[in-house]
Amino acid sequence: MIAYASSITHMKKIVCLFLLTMSVTAMAGPLTNWTLQRQGHKETYSVQVPCTVAGALNEAGVFGPDVLDQDRYKAIDKSVFDETWVFTTRFNAKKGLRHVLRFEGLNYYADIELNGQLIASADTTFGPFCVREIDITSLARNKNTLKVSLRRAQKGDLNAGYVDWNPRPVDESMGIIRPVTLISTPDVQVQDIFVKPLVNPADLSRAQFEAQVTLVNRSNKAVEGTVEGSYEGGRFSVPVSLAAGATKVVSVVETVENPRIWWTAELGKPELYHLDVAFCKGKQVSHSAGIVFGLRSIESEITPFGHRQFILNGKKVLVKSAGWTDDIFMQDTPESLEAQVKMVADMGLNSIRFENIWGKDSTIYDLCDQYGLMALVGFSCQWEWEDYCGLPETKGYGCINDPASEALAVRYFHDQVVWLRNHPSVIGWLTGSDRIPNPRLEKQYLKDYEKLDYRPYVCSAKALTSLAGPSGTKMEGPYEYVGPDYWWIDNRCGGNFGFNTETGPGLQMPQLESVKRMVGEKDLWPVGPNWAYHCTASASVMNNTRFLENAMNHLYGPAQGLEDWMRKAHAMDYDATRSMFEAFRANVPTATGIVQWMLNSAWPSLYWQLYDWYGIPTAGYYGVKTANAPVQAVYNYGNGSVWVVNDGAKAADYVVSARIYDADSRLVRYEKTSVTARPRDPWKIFSGVEGPCFLALEIIGQDYTATNFYCIPAELNRYTWSKADWWGIPMDKYTDMRFVSQLPETTLQMQVKPVEGGYDVTLTNNSQVIAYQNIVKALDASGQLIPGTFWTDNFFTVLPGESRTVHCTLPKGCTGAEIGFSGWNAKIAE
């Protein structure tokens, strides 16, 4: 875990500052080197915990290469996961110390043996979101053998889940899915450190924080000592006495002058502090721990229109987010997670929504802290649908309604709030997704939450009201394709008002190289069953490509082959996804939040993603990046006007130009104006744009330029509002985009200039024809797109007589690439 490692390094220095010649007798460390074996079978696999059983077998090559591509996942024998699987590790334990094993996530039923003795049994040790500490002092030896025997979750269990976004994990995510740690101390353990920021947004020149340190005396004798704490700019020391076996919380309030405040990246710097705490007896450290925290205030309010508005350090923010999922085998690494978080930041998003308490350790939340991304966390609808959870639903409340399930959910809630509450990125907790907790259950949540945390509590991602009051959110979709005009004209469902927690254009086609991998060369054309297999696993809708294809046929005309299908699907994704974020930006303060459904995919998928499972951006990625440029000129499809939006911290002066081309690429109108763009103050600058036409916008400030390009039809789509459903809004009349399909072919000059870490690629259009949606590609020796490559822009247009230069940054360690090209109507001149 990134923060864990850095805080331990920092802590060693701090301990020396504490007491110079202090003796450190405590130990703590994760147990990582394990073996895995199916009970009763001889074959053994070396594994690194945390992992799932299926993930470990995939890592070992048991399922064969690229098992998630094409339809190979179907062939996995799931019956082997009906059996018990045994994780085994060996570790040393120093004599004379008290020893505790900490289990942060066991999925699902666990029998735990130490040196042949059962120390926890599956009848009480179950549930992936319970954190458990077991004192093993009486059984510990110099050399120890630990066995964890696991059985998978059964129907009706409150398991981790992916709902219908993809096929279910073949093993139901069975495994040791979070760290196992050995904690050793002569007596007192620093069990938990919680830092509660006390920041007055009206005066950020000083701040306070309350440090709550939970101590456990693991010995059978009373102990006296001091709690020693150190952080940048201060330290504290508190005398403490603990009776034998006692637990005590020590609370300290510290004042920080000229604090470094945590902000989202668009508003400032995401400043972080380290706090290191030790329990000491004289010059001896019994046990120590360190955490990372941030100083910031986070509040929310319900606006007069009933929408939830988050407020960071006194500033109202438009939450621009997307929905996260873990890999289906839980095989994300710190490197892959950081690559993804970098992409989130590159798109100009300021948040990630975690529907489920994702992560096999804290890495993803650490990265949100470091990159200045707000995190909305909470429970998933997997416990609200009977066909997924297996428990009977109660109308309005989902499946958690019997005493045993409620007790387990309350424990989950307690342990996960404690697990995440030091992260400044976490701005709120959702205890419901499509439903609300039943009143009996929510009373217990609220009672715990009042003691444990201070962030806004949100009862549901949907527009519902509970004991805690209104959610202030909405979850009206759509989840299937709608045109870019939808976001500007809808005033009843998912349009640009309020806080929309889940919405998007549905099928978001990966680039061709990825589609070839996931579908298979032989099934690429015509679109068929292997395409549908990589849509969602929903039993009702979104399980094939027909909805998008129908819209495509009406808008642009039927695809004339695979490449034509791809370019039209990309254009539809780019325009709809971009417009969604632009519409919300242009409608603050009425708009308070927008969550693209989704951010990423658990497996190779065609649906709901801004980058695909292989780590390659979709067209929608670049649409979102364009929409979320810090200051941008955007087109309002609803009334034919152009607006300037600014989500940053400061006002500045800009020059905005608009060029309008007719369907034959002839410039028919040019306007230019100056504007002062103020934060959260959208400003209309042009109007009267009529299609069919092409609109090119440019905004220029001091050391700043952003462009935007639109294909504008003559009429809007006509939506059948009376037939609106949870998945979306059908259209009974489609706009005509065939003028885009009829753009003549043209040629571009391409110049590739190697620069440190990547390339500058310049496309020059010497023709009189607009060159639409040009894709530049960084390819490896096998012709595959290189994951982790960042382009300053892509899927971009080059106007007649224009040159556009984009920069490509290759991933660390990549020494070179072949630069490829694909265009809507352009080819590269030879």
Side-chain angles (χ1 to χ4, degrees), residues 293-325:
F293 69 98
L295 293 174
R296 58 99 182 92
S297 73
I298 187 68
E299 305 167 277
S300 74
E301 65 183 15
I302 304 298
T303 72
F305 300 103
H307 310 316
R308 186 169 294 273
Q309 172 69 66
F310 281 93
I311 305 167
L312 177 67
N313 300 321
K315 290 184 180 292
K316 295 179 179 180
V317 292
L318 173 69
V319 175
K320 296 171 293 187
S321 191
W324 176 271
T325 178

Side-chain angles (χ1 to χ4, degrees), residues 217-230:
N217 184 358
R218 296 289 181 182
S219 76
N220 54 11
K221 296 180 181 179
V223 177
E224 292 189 356
T226 56
V227 171
E228 304 286 345
S230 178

Side-chain angles (χ1 to χ4, degrees), residues 34 39 83-89 101 103 106-127 132 134 145-152 174-176 180:
W34 296 70
Q39 193 172 69
E83 300 183 41
T84 298
W85 287 78
V86 183
F87 288 82
T88 303
T89 190
L101 285 173
F103 299 88
L106 299 173
N107 195 3
Y108 191 83
Y109 294 95
D111 288 311
I112 305 173
E113 295 179 32
L114 180 66
N115 301 327
Q117 296 244 22
L118 187 69
I119 59 173
S121 60
D123 58 340
T124 57
T125 310
F126 56 86
R132 300 174 176 88
I134 303 174
T145 300
L146 176 65
K147 289 188 176 182
V148 181
S149 301
L150 287 164
R151 291 183 289 113
R152 71 169 179 84
M174 171 172 55
I176 302 178
V180 179

